[in-house]
Amino acid sequence: MSAVVRPSLFSPYRWLSPSLFDFWAGQLNPLWTLREPMARLVRREPAGEGAATLVLRCNRHWAGMRAGQHVTLGVELEGRVLRRSYSPTRLGRRELAITVKAVEGGKVSQHLVAHAKPGDLFRLDAAFGDFHMPAAAPVLLLAAGSGITPMRSLLRDACQRPLAAPVDLFYWERSAAAFQFRDELQALAAANPNLRVHLLTTREGEVPAARIDSHTLAVAGDDTPLAQRHVLACGPDGFVAAARTRLAQQVAGFQAEAFTPPAALSDADSLGEVALTLARSGRRLIVPRGRSLLESLEAQGIAPKHGCRMGICNSCTCERVSGTTRHLRTGDTQSETAVPVRICVSAPTTDLTLDL
């Protein structure tokens, strides 16, 4: 028979609720909580046009991260906690940097870039995601805009030891002023012969750089066949979609993450509407076939649990009871029952029942 574990007589779990403990402990140190991971802003630094890097100090409840992963930051504004996902760079055991680009109309991003101040506190969820760089294979990193943030984390980690194979980073911005981590990336390349950094502007210079769907991706003096490269792409949804269309079937491996929600499908197979049944409540809705399930539910006043809205964190996952869905980024269809569906990046193709 297993023993029953009871709280120690002197354990705070026995005498205080977590919220009460957090309140009183926070009077001494804002990062002292009973269970909740928290982070305090140490400093805010400019990071390219319209962007800022926030250096955060985490408490002991944060479990850490691997290079390339994401975290969800809880930011309290006007009495509400708003959650946004970012790809941080680990600076130390309990210190990390999050770089944010201000988005027009983005309440959280504009606050973090322009108004966050040292001492501000944030909730910090567990790290998630499996974006990773192969250790001993030729790699092609493709980044646009804020898509550079996971690449920075991956490169800093990889360059702690000699790179065993060629790594090329192609990084697109609209203008030279918008580049993030320019000096740091160039310093990493100078110290690592196998790393080359290519900075490309699409709206400057006599001949603006070609976009991902038409750039040569050729590197002078390197004869590594494209078919041997492992590709990691990160940027807006359109950038990732173009990279996938061009390269996914031509390279040794292809990983991609988009930091904007996927666009609705517009081909013939995505026209019309279907019936969506929510199994737990029995509610039946009529929703468009080409739009994400999350957006369709929100449009009808339903607020399912969700996180990153990019198909990475799995917060919005629920089980399929019946019907078929289509992945908005890959185009893959899935109809097996009892299989998790990420509703932020899935659209219905037939009448559908979800365990919601």
Side-chain angles (χ1 to χ4, degrees):
M1 179 184 298
S2 61
V4 176
V5 179
R6 293 186 173 87
S8 162
L9 179 65
F10 301 103
S11 168
Y13 291 90
R14 183 182 181 94
W15 302 105
L16 292 175
S17 69
S19 59
L20 189 58
F21 177 90
D22 291 355
F23 173 79
W24 288 111
Q27 306 306 304
L28 300 175
N29 186 328
L31 292 184
W32 286 357
T33 64
L34 196 60
R35 301 171 184 167
E36 187 173 16
M38 298 287 291
R40 182 179 68 239
L41 179 60
V42 176
R43 61 184 182 275
R44 175 166 54 90
E45 306 166 342
E49 192 172 59
T53 293
L54 281 64
V55 177
L56 305 177
R57 175 74 177 175
C58 309
N59 68 6
R60 65 187 180 88
H61 298 301
W62 188 61
M65 57 168 285
R66 297 190 310 273
Q69 287 192 305
H70 298 256
V71 296
T72 298
L73 205 65
V75 184
E76 186 170 345
L77 291 175
E78 300 174 356
R80 294 179 57 205
V81 177
L82 304 178
R83 296 184 179 274
R84 299 292 186 271
S85 296
Y86 300 101
S87 183
T89 296
R90 184 170 179 172
L91 303 180
R93 190 167 66 91
R94 290 188 186 171
E95 195 169 80
L96 54 84
I98 290 176
T99 299
V100 183
K101 181 170 285 189
V103 177
E104 185 176 354
K107 181 179 292 188
V108 173
S109 66
Q110 294 200 11
H111 170 78
L112 294 178
V113 169
H115 304 296
K117 59 185 183 300
D120 285 355
L121 294 177
F122 306 102
R123 291 172 172 83
L124 196 64
D125 289 353
F128 60 88
D130 56 6
F131 213 43
H132 66 280
M133 196 164 83
V139 174
L140 192 59
L141 304 176
L142 308 174
S146 294
I148 192 60
T149 54
M151 306 305 187
R152 178 205 188 194
S153 179
L154 290 166
L155 284 172
R156 282 174 62 108
D157 181 68
C159 288
Q160 291 181 15
R161 50 208 168 270
L163 296 174
V167 176
D168 283 277
L169 168 67
F170 288 84
Y171 170 24
W172 282 262
E173 286 283 7
R174 293 183 177 183
S175 66
F179 283 122
Q180 300 173 22
F181 324 122
R182 178 208 292 262
D183 292 345
E184 179 180 328
L185 294 171
Q186 292 176 333
L188 286 175
N192 293 271
N194 264 339
L195 173 62
R196 291 169 293 242
V197 172
H198 314 274
L199 304 177
L200 307 166
T201 57
T202 58
R203 297 190 179 181
E204 279 188 353
E206 294 183 10
V207 182
R211 297 177 183 272
I212 181 60
D213 52 0
S214 57
H215 197 280
T216 63
L217 301 178
V219 178
D222 180 68
D223 57 0
T224 305
L226 191 60
Q228 293 181 12
R229 293 271 191 170
H230 289 256
V231 174
L232 283 73
C234 187
D237 182 68
F239 175 86
V240 169
R244 187 187 305 276
T245 298
R246 179 180 177 186
L247 297 169
Q249 305 304 317
Q250 301 181 43
V251 294
F254 186 89
Q255 302 174 57
E257 291 182 351
F259 58 76
T260 57
L265 297 169
S266 58
D267 55 19
D269 293 337
S270 63
L271 301 178
E273 298 177 323
V274 298
L276 170 62
T277 301
L278 307 182
R280 297 183 191 178
S281 65
R283 186 171 177 180
R284 188 173 184 272
L285 311 169
I286 302 300
V287 299
R289 296 175 69 200
R291 190 180 188 185
S292 80
L293 288 160
L294 176 59
E295 289 182 335
S296 293
L297 289 169
E298 289 176 332
Q300 303 211 29
I302 300 171
K305 182 180 178 182
H306 66 278
C308 68
R309 307 183 76 96
M310 300 181 291
I312 302 171
C313 71
N314 292 321
S315 297
C316 68
T317 298
C318 65
E319 286 193 354
R320 179 199 336 273
V321 178
S322 64
T324 302
T325 56
R326 184 177 176 189
H327 197 290
L328 287 167
R329 292 207 166 100
T330 67
D332 296 339
T333 57
Q334 179 63 261
S335 57
E336 293 182 36
T337 58
V339 169
V341 177
R342 290 176 291 180
I343 63 175
C344 68
V345 291
S346 297
T349 62
T350 67
D351 289 348
L352 182 68
T353 300
L354 295 177
D355 184 23
L356 277 177

